[in-house]
């Protein structure tokens, strides 16, 4: 069935009306079974658990790992302000033994290189001529004494003139002086050591004719104490003058092979002028040497101690790091995190320790190794740092300059 539409010109158009189809009947509503709902809940719980697990794993991967480090306590003790130099030793006394009378050497009473004491007999020169001269002088002195006594008796009785008596006195004194001179010459025949020291290689043998014009017979050097000679650069003079004359000024002498303990001596001499060309000042110290371990002209290491720093703060040298902002150390907190502290390092000391002039306190703990990946607030796993034993030669390491 359609609808007829008149177009106005006598024509008509019929439009068909669509058919309505009635539903045969209401479909039955479908229901989800219980096992399906249980499976859905189970899958949802699994998905949520998996999501939470991934979040925890991701959080763990984003957290920085705990870094293992070695730590050490900041210690406090007295340490020196010093300059390290290179020096040489020199004999405290050097004597060239020479003959004072002429004659033939009859005997030698020492072994080359032996230690001798003051008064030890070294050489014997033939004493016979000098003994004869002494006997003659003594005889003349005795005769003049008898003559003087006789002249004195005559003078008391006014038998002789005063001039004769005065002449007798002069002759007696003259002959006595001659006898004493002859005794001195005889004593010179027995050459003795004038000092305690070590004797060198002899220059004459038995049978040689020697005299005052002959060169030295042997050389003796005093080795205890011994001189330590070194130089100080002119750039360090201001520091030296600051402490010169103080009670703590000392000089330590170290053997070049570091096989003996350092010897501590006293400052003996410092030159009054800078050496042209080298720009250094000569310094000399007196060093005890009872075992003769130090030898003249031997190169030694010298530590010129100027003063003592009381209760200085010391850390292992490895703990001090350098950044663009300057030196710093990592300080361990009680919760095992680290804090960055700017510090002012001072001189390096024995045992591979460095003085810290500011930034840390005694008994604080600093990180010694493992600083590469650390940042302020980082968590660490601290272990104690075992400092290596300092070698004996470390006390005379490369030249260090003291700070004011």
């Amino acid at each position: 069935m359609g609808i007829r539409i008149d177009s106005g010109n006598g024509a008509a158009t019929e439009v068909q009306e669509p058919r309505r189809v009635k539903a045969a009947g209401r479909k039955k509503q479908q229901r989800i079974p219980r096992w399906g709902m249980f499976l859905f809940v189970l899958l949802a719980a699994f998905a949520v658990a998996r999501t939470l697990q991934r979040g925890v794993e991701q959080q763990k991967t984003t957290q920085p790992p705990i870094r293992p480090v070695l730590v050490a306590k900041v210690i406090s003790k007295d340490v020196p302000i010093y300059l390290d130099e290179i020096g040489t030793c020199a004999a405290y006394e050097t004597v060239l033994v020479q003959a004072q009378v002429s004659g033939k050497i009859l005997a030698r009473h020492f072994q080359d290189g032996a230690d001798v004491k003051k008064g030890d007999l070294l050489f014997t020169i033939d004493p016979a001529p000098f003994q004869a001269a002494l006997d003659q002088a003594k005889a003349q002195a005795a005769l003049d004494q008898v003559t003087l006594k006789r002249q004195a008796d005559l003078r008391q009785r006014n038998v002789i003139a005063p001039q004769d008596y005065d002449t007798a006195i002069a002759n007696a004194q003259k002959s006595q002086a001659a006898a004493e001179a002859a005794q001195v010459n005889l004593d010179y025949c027995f050459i003795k050591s004038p000092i305690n020291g070590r004797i060198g290689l002899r220059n004459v043998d038995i049978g040689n004719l020697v005299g005052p014009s002959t060169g030295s017979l042997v050389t003796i050097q005093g080795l205890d104490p011994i001189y330590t000679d070194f130089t100080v650069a002119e750039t360090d003079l201001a520091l030296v003058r600051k402490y010169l004359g103080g009670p703590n000024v000392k000089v330590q002498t170290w053997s070049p092979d570091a096989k003996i303990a350092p010897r501590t001596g006293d400052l003996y001499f410092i030159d009054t002028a800078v050496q042209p060309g080298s720009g250094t000042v000569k310094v000399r110290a007196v060093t005890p040497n009872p075992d003769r371990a130090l030898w003249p002209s031997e190169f030694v290491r010298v530590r010129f101690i100027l003063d003592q720093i009381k209760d200085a703060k010391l850390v292992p040298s490895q703990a001090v790091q350098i950044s663009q902002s300057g030196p710093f150390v990592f300080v361990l907190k009680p919760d095992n995190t680290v804090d960055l502290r700017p510090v002012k390092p001072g001189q390096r000391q024995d045992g591979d320790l460095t003085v810290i002039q500011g930034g840390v306190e005694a008994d604080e703990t600093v990180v010694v190794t493992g600083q590469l990946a650390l940042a302020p607030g980082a968590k660490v796993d601290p272990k104690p740092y075992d400092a290596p034993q300092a070698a004996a030669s470390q006390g005379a390491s490369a030249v260090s300059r003291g700070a004011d």
Side-chain angles (χ1 to χ4, degrees):
M1 185 176 182
I3 301 174
R4 186 177 178 81
I5 301 175
D6 190 359
S7 59
N9 57 1
T13 302
E14 184 178 358
V15 180
Q16 295 292 331
E17 184 180 357
R19 298 181 179 178
R20 297 179 180 176
V21 180
K22 296 182 179 180
R26 183 178 295 176
K27 293 183 179 180
K28 294 184 179 180
Q29 187 177 2
Q30 296 183 355
R31 300 181 62 185
I32 299 176
R34 291 183 177 179
W35 63 269
M37 294 179 64
F38 177 76
L39 180 61
F40 175 76
V41 173
L42 184 62
L43 292 175
F46 178 76
V48 171
R50 184 62 178 169
T51 301
L52 293 176
Q53 182 180 4
R54 287 180 178 177
V56 171
E57 290 178 354
Q58 185 176 5
Q59 186 178 5
K60 288 183 178 180
T61 56
T62 56
Q63 286 182 350
I66 298 178
R67 300 286 182 179
V69 295
L70 297 181
V71 297
K73 289 281 188 181
V74 179
I75 63 175
S76 176
K77 68 175 184 178
D78 298 344
V79 295
I81 299 174
Y82 63 89
L83 299 174
D84 278 342
E85 308 290 350
I86 300 297
T88 57
C89 291
Y92 187 74
E93 295 175 299
T94 300
V95 176
L96 303 179
V97 179
Q98 291 180 294
Q100 293 181 281
V101 293
S102 297
K104 182 175 66 175
I105 294 180
L106 293 183
R108 172 174 58 90
H109 306 278
F110 64 90
Q111 180 68 33
D112 293 342
D115 289 331
V116 295
K117 294 181 180 180
K118 183 178 181 179
D120 286 352
L121 185 60
L122 303 179
F123 294 98
T124 298
I125 297 176
D126 186 6
F130 302 97
Q131 184 65 54
L134 176 61
D135 293 341
Q136 182 180 0
K138 285 183 176 180
Q140 184 63 43
L143 178 60
D144 289 340
Q145 287 294 332
V146 172
T147 302
L148 175 61
K149 187 177 179 180
R150 184 180 300 112
Q151 293 291 339
D153 293 339
L154 294 176
R155 177 62 186 150
Q156 288 179 355
R157 290 180 291 175
N158 292 324
V159 175
I160 61 173
Q163 184 178 359
D164 295 337
Y165 176 69
D166 294 339
T167 301
I169 294 176
N171 290 335
Q173 293 176 345
K174 182 179 178 179
S175 60
Q176 180 63 33
E180 291 175 355
Q183 181 65 58
V184 170
N185 288 334
L186 179 61
D187 293 339
Y188 282 158
C189 293
F190 305 95
I191 301 175
K192 299 179 180 180
S193 174
I195 62 170
N196 297 330
R198 179 165 292 174
I199 202 163
L201 188 66
R202 69 187 185 276
N203 296 322
V204 294
D205 290 311
I206 297 174
N208 290 145
L209 185 64
V210 296
S213 61
T214 308
S216 65
L217 308 181
V218 72
T219 301
I220 303 175
Q221 292 183 319
L223 303 181
D224 182 29
I226 198 169
Y227 286 132
T228 298
D229 295 331
F230 60 99
T231 59
V232 172
E234 61 180 332
T235 54
D236 293 322
L237 281 180
L239 180 67
V240 173
R241 285 196 298 264
K242 179 180 178 181
Y243 299 104
L244 199 60
N248 297 321
V249 175
K250 297 290 181 181
V251 177
Q252 285 186 340
T253 303
W254 304 66
S255 66
D257 55 6
K259 291 184 179 180
I260 62 172
R263 314 290 173 86
T264 301
D266 296 321
L267 182 65
Y268 174 74
F269 165 80
I270 183 167
D271 205 350
T272 56
V274 177
Q275 298 297 311
S278 64
T280 58
V281 177
K282 293 181 180 180
V283 185
R284 168 169 280 188
V286 178
T287 304
N289 191 34
D291 56 355
R292 312 297 197 276
L294 300 176
W295 286 67
S297 302
E298 179 184 24
F299 281 98
V300 291
R301 295 175 177 178
V302 181
R303 172 161 290 182
F304 190 11
I305 299 175
L306 302 174
D307 200 6
Q308 293 287 329
I309 304 175
K310 298 294 183 181
D311 299 325
K313 311 299 186 298
L314 300 171
V315 300
S317 299
Q318 292 178 263
V320 181
Q321 302 292 303
I322 304 296
S323 69
Q324 294 180 349
S325 301
F328 69 91
V329 296
F330 283 109
V331 178
L332 184 68
K333 294 182 177 180
D335 59 354
N336 284 348
T337 60
V338 294
D339 182 26
L340 187 148
R341 298 268 189 90
V343 295
K344 183 181 179 182
Q347 265 193 320
R348 198 162 180 167
Q349 301 293 330
D350 293 343
D352 197 25
L353 298 174
T354 296
V355 175
I356 302 298
Q357 298 178 352
V360 295
E361 298 297 332
D363 293 332
E364 284 190 314
T365 303
V366 297
V367 177
V368 180
T369 62
Q371 304 100 321
L372 183 60
L374 292 185
K379 194 82 171 178
V380 295
D381 179 21
K383 301 293 182 184
Y385 171 73
D386 293 329
Q389 296 295 326
S393 59
Q394 272 188 329
S397 55
V399 175
S400 302
R401 304 303 179 195
D404 289 343

